[in-house]
């Protein structure tokens, strides 16, 4: 497995070297703009990481519940994006992990409070969220 990761990294690096070396110079400004936007986003947004302990036999129901929450939250002020990840290991403690971006901790707190009051969808019995907000400190 380690060799595959090493080969994949080498291929990715080679791809970027070819991409940059094939550039005619016209896209250099565009690449700089994209990098600037990405750096700005990293410094301005906070990350929600929510790992879910999913009860046996409740995976599909849990995903549907997450989708209902996502649909509610994505129209709230401060929402940026979200992605739900599923473990490749069937016996993993956290079968689902949600990673979301928000403009601020307060925006997330306000949206979460509003969702708890207004969502109108019952939570999945036994589903245990483990949520916390994070900020990037190293790259």
């Amino acid at each position: 497995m380690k060799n595959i990761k090493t080969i994949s990294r080498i291929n990715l690096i080679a791809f970027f070297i070819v991409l940059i070396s094939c550039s005619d110079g016209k896209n250099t400004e565009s690449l700089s703009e994209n990098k600037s936007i990405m750096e700005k986003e990293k410094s301005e947004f906070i990350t929600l990481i929510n790992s879910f302990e999913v009860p046996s036999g409740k995976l599909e129901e849990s995903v549907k519940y997450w989708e209902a929450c996502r649909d509610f939250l994505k129209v709230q002020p401060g929402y940026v994006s979200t992605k739900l990840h599923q473990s490749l290991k069937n016996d993993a403690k956290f079968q689902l992990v949600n990673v979301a971006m928000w403009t601020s901790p307060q925006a997330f707190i306000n949206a979460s409070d509003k969702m708890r009051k207004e969502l109108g969808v019952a939570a999945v019995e036994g589903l245990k969220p483990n949520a916390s907000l994070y900020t990037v400190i190293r790259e």
Side-chain angles (χ1 to χ4, degrees):
M1 186 69 138
K2 188 174 181 180
N3 290 338
I4 292 172
K5 287 182 182 177
T6 302
I7 292 169
S8 295
R9 287 182 185 148
I10 291 169
N11 287 340
L12 184 61
I13 291 167
F15 170 76
F16 284 116
I17 290 170
V18 169
L19 181 66
I20 291 168
S21 66
C22 291
S23 171
D24 58 5
K26 294 178 185 173
N27 292 329
T28 307
E29 189 173 300
S30 175
L31 291 172
S32 296
E33 287 175 21
N34 286 343
K35 184 177 179 186
S36 174
I37 289 168
M38 289 170 57
E39 287 171 352
K40 181 179 178 186
E41 288 177 356
K42 287 179 190 171
S43 65
E44 287 185 7
F45 300 146
I46 56 101
T47 303
L48 164 73
I49 300 177
N50 194 356
S51 304
F52 293 94
E53 294 179 56
V54 180
S56 180
K58 301 273 186 164
L59 183 63
E60 188 64 32
E61 186 179 350
S62 297
V63 171
K64 287 181 182 179
Y65 178 70
W66 177 86
E67 290 172 335
C69 293
R70 176 210 51 206
D71 292 347
F72 182 91
L73 293 170
K74 73 181 183 182
V75 296
Q76 301 306 311
Y79 172 88
V80 177
S81 67
T82 191
K83 291 183 182 179
L84 183 65
H85 305 263
Q86 182 179 353
S87 175
L88 297 176
K89 288 178 59 180
N90 291 332
D91 63 344
K93 180 176 182 176
F94 303 111
Q95 281 294 308
L96 299 173
V97 176
N98 178 48
V99 179
M101 302 298 288
W102 287 85
T103 56
S104 71
Q106 194 59 51
F108 171 72
I109 291 166
N110 292 345
S112 296
D113 288 346
K114 185 175 180 181
M115 181 180 71
R116 277 191 283 283
K117 293 174 187 171
E118 299 178 17
L119 182 60
V121 176
V124 175
E125 185 179 337
L127 182 67
K128 295 179 186 172
N130 300 280
S132 192
L133 298 174
Y134 297 85
T135 187
V136 175
I137 63 165
R138 302 272 194 291
E139 284 195 33

